[in-house]
Amino acid sequence: MINGRREWFTRHPSNPILTIEDWPYPANSVFNAGATLIGGETLLLVRVEDQRGMSHLCAARSADGISNWRIDPQPTFPADPVGHPEEVYGVEDPRITYIEELGEYAIAYTAYSEGGPLVALATTKDFRSFRRLGPIMAPDDKDAALFPVRFGRRWAMIHRPQAADPTRDAHIWLSFSPDLKHWGDFRVLLRARQGGWWDARKIGLSPPPIRTPEGWLLIYHGVRVTAAGAIYRLGLALLDLNDPAKILRRTDAWVFGPKESYEVQGDVDHVVFPCGAVLLGEEVRLYYGGADTCIALACGNLGEILQRLLELPPYEPLGPPAT
Ligand code: BMA
């Protein structure tokens, strides 16, 4: 209990579970890792920021998902600015979805292009060799992940476009594709709130949507801009299992926010930023970047989370703000 409130996610006592001290080669920071299960192990595809300020991805594997990480001795997925000019300033924030129909993992990641961050896609079977599909959303767009199944005949993806005009709000969008490469039928899925809300003006998907018997569990981040800088916290939504455009529930209060020293102080203070979650039985394991500097783990119970969400009143859509 915190302030009379039951916690949705509990921090692991060995946090932070990975820091730059663990890295086999020099770099600045490790954070915002994608996560998945492969060969009975947990694999994190870690965002590593090098000492020039640009990021690449590096795989870390562990039998228990907490300790004894085996980290690739070199970048696993370095940016390829020659073959893929959209990666000129690096690759960031991967979200991994296992697609059973293809027998492959799809990685939606941010490619930092000359025109700004955009969404790029790659697939892999083993996190050793990768096939790049290239950019799938124009800049600025990030915080993307695929659903693991088709709806009808189409793949679906969540992402977060952002207008160059900073006075415009950044909402979470849903889009569809017949072939994973060509995307369309764009629509706003979840709106940022307004005014003093913790998730006012700018929100984005955190880990990929999690399939549950009650619907798709969405863990998203909201950004509160204060006089001292931004605060990144997390909220939850539940989407209809057959129609992901339909929102069933959304929490009002945030469910997780920066509190511990490794979340409050780092390269970017007051940030919790998960890009990956794995489901081990009923346990939801949330792997998150702390203050853009380290990787930490928080766990929640899926049954309890769903029960608490279903106790909330049905979702009432937020209209566009009155002008
Ligand atoms: C967001 C993303 C994340 C980062 C966060 C806090 O816009 O770029 O990669 O963790 O800001 O700096």
Side-chain angles (χ1 to χ4, degrees), residues 300-315:
N301 178 279
L302 184 64
E304 245 177 64
I305 291 170
L306 292 174
Q307 192 189 334
R308 287 177 74 178
L309 278 175
L310 291 173
E311 281 165 8
L312 298 176
Y315 175 74

Side-chain angles (χ1 to χ4, degrees), residues 31-32 47 92-93 142 202 232 268 271 273 292:
F31 55 118
N32 300 5
R47 171 175 173 189
E92 307 178 351
D93 298 1
K142 51 163 75 168
K202 183 170 163 180
Y232 280 72
V268 183
V271 177
F273 202 94
D292 283 9

Side-chain angles (χ1 to χ4, degrees), residues 158-239:
I158 291 179
H159 58 116
R160 206 284 307 284
Q162 184 160 26
D165 174 355
T167 63
R168 301 229 177 244
D169 295 347
H171 307 298
I172 293 177
W173 288 59
L174 176 66
S175 299
F176 295 91
S177 169
D179 59 4
L180 294 179
K181 176 71 182 163
H182 304 91
W183 292 85
D185 202 3
F186 310 119
R187 64 193 71 183
V188 173
L189 174 66
L190 199 69
R191 283 183 177 276
R193 285 183 265 219
Q194 298 293 313
W197 282 90
W198 69 273
D199 56 353
R201 312 278 330 274
K202 183 170 163 180
I203 60 173
L205 179 72
S206 276
I210 300 170
R211 188 177 4 196
T212 82
E214 304 294 345
W216 297 98
L217 177 63
L218 221 66
I219 304 172
Y220 73 95
H221 56 268
V223 186
R224 171 78 181 272
V225 179
T226 76
I231 306 177
Y232 280 72
R233 301 186 179 102
L234 307 178
L236 303 177
L238 191 66
L239 310 181

Side-chain angles (χ1 to χ4, degrees), residues 124-142:
T124 184
K125 285 188 195 306
D126 54 9
F127 293 88
R128 296 187 202 285
S129 64
F130 300 86
R131 186 169 69 94
R132 278 171 163 88
L133 280 80
I136 51 169
M137 289 287 165
D140 279 11
D141 206 322
K142 51 163 75 168

